[in-house]
Amino acid sequence: MKVSHWLVAGIAALLVSSCSSQKDPAEQAITKMDNTMDSIHDAAAKYAPDQLKSVEAQVQSVKQSFSKGDYAAVLAATPAVNQAIVDLRKVANEQQAAADAELAKVKQEWRNLSSEVPKLVAGLHSQVDSLSSARSLPKGVTKASLATAKDGVASLDSMWTDANNALSSGDYAGAVTKGQAVKDKATELMHTLGMKPS
């Protein structure tokens, strides 16, 4: 009887010792998960939101196991959860790199437009002023087409202002779309006025 009591007590002591020896690694594993998730959260929320929710649910499940004292379950789940976090970081980084590359491309398009368009518009204003005061119009240009062109050139200024306003609000894609529309219309008006693109 005494032996069995000692045996039960010994096994209980071993179990307690085993649990306490697993608690620290389990706690460290969760701390590491939290730190890594904190470092990638913003990028993941922006570029991989669905995957972020899935990984957060996995981390939460591990934390629930820890709160129940099931440290073995925490340690068993840790490799898979850590891999899910690694995968999440990779996807978020790839998506962010793609978005950054696209933004760089759009910014370059805007730089090109902001260099070309003001010159086109200024040239059109000058041509309209010149033709308006000319005694005769060049071949292919009528008084009616000049009047239409004059209205069109006047509208280019407000269109270009809209493009710059989009840029001011950080909408580079919108600015490029509006700026390209100005360039296209300016090119069309140049043909109407008999001007050759430079």
Side-chain angles (χ1 to χ4, degrees):
M1 232 14 213
K2 284 183 180 178
V3 172
S4 78
H5 277 310
W6 280 110
L7 193 59
V8 170
I11 291 171
L14 278 172
L15 286 171
V16 170
S17 171
S18 172
C19 279
S20 62
S21 70
Q22 287 182 322
K23 182 179 180 181
D24 286 346
E27 195 167 20
Q28 288 166 11
I30 288 174
T31 299
K32 184 181 176 185
M33 286 177 199
D34 280 341
N35 290 340
T36 308
M37 288 296 286
D38 285 346
S39 71
I40 66 173
H41 183 274
D42 290 350
K46 186 172 183 181
Y47 298 106
D50 292 339
Q51 195 168 338
L52 172 63
K53 287 176 186 174
S54 172
V55 175
E56 284 178 332
Q58 293 177 60
V59 172
Q60 191 55 40
S61 176
V62 170
K63 288 181 176 180
Q64 286 172 354
S65 294
F66 184 86
S67 66
K68 292 173 185 173
D70 192 352
Y71 308 127
V74 172
L75 296 174
T78 292
V81 177
N82 282 342
Q83 185 58 51
I85 294 172
V86 168
D87 292 344
L88 174 63
R89 185 205 297 269
K90 183 182 177 185
V91 169
N93 286 345
E94 287 173 353
Q95 293 293 335
Q96 183 169 9
D100 289 346
E102 183 60 30
L103 181 60
K105 180 182 168 188
V106 171
K107 283 183 175 181
Q108 184 57 51
E109 288 175 4
W110 173 257
R111 279 192 287 272
N112 294 341
L113 286 168
S114 62
S115 170
E116 297 169 13
V117 171
K119 292 175 187 174
L120 289 175
V121 175
L124 281 163
H125 276 296
S126 178
Q127 180 74 347
V128 165
D129 290 345
S130 174
L131 292 177
S132 295
S133 59
R135 290 184 179 180
S136 61
L137 296 174
K139 188 178 178 182
V141 180
T142 64
K143 286 185 177 182
S145 64
L146 176 59
T148 301
K150 190 182 286 190
D151 291 339
V153 171
S155 72
L156 291 178
D157 294 326
S158 61
M159 288 172 69
W160 186 242
T161 298
D162 286 345
N164 278 284
N165 287 341
L167 183 76
S168 299
S169 65
D171 181 10
Y172 278 91
V176 166
T177 299
K178 291 173 186 287
Q180 186 62 48
V182 178
K183 182 180 177 181
D184 292 344
K185 185 164 185 178
T187 303
E188 183 185 316
L189 289 168
M190 288 176 75
H191 289 305
T192 302
L193 295 173
M195 296 170 66
K196 291 182 180 178
S198 56

